[in-house]
Amino acid sequence: MKFYVRVTPHAHENGIEAEKDQTQLRVWVTEPPIQGRANAAVLKVVGKYLGVVPSRLRIISGHTARSKVIGLDE
């Protein structure tokens, strides 16, 4: 399963919401985009939202971009 995510790093607080058309998630994380810290925080926030452990999630594409594709391992 794939999720399309738009990330805002360095936010005031962590948060997540689904876009109106339900095809993309908006994610805010407090971590800066340095040395993968924001990516790790994104996986934690999305994992909590989906009710899965972050280790079951992986970034398929967009490691250095704000728009990412996250895969859920079955």
Side-chain angles (χ1 to χ4, degrees):
M1 182 179 288
K2 293 181 185 176
F3 298 94
Y4 297 92
V5 178
R6 179 76 176 163
V7 178
T8 302
H10 228 284
H12 292 286
E13 61 184 31
N14 291 335
I16 189 168
E17 73 177 27
E19 292 288 327
K20 291 180 182 178
D21 60 0
Q22 302 295 322
T23 61
Q24 185 170 333
L25 298 172
R26 288 282 293 168
V27 179
W28 294 269
V29 293
T30 58
E31 293 293 331
I34 298 171
Q35 297 177 346
R37 289 171 33 191
N39 285 341
V42 167
L43 294 178
K44 286 181 186 176
V45 171
V46 173
K48 185 175 180 180
Y49 178 76
L50 297 175
V52 299
V53 293
S55 62
R56 289 190 57 204
L57 299 170
R58 61 187 166 83
I59 297 175
I60 297 171
S61 66
H63 292 276
T64 60
R66 287 184 181 218
S67 295
K68 301 179 185 305
V69 178
I70 296 178
L72 174 62
D73 294 333
E74 299 297 326

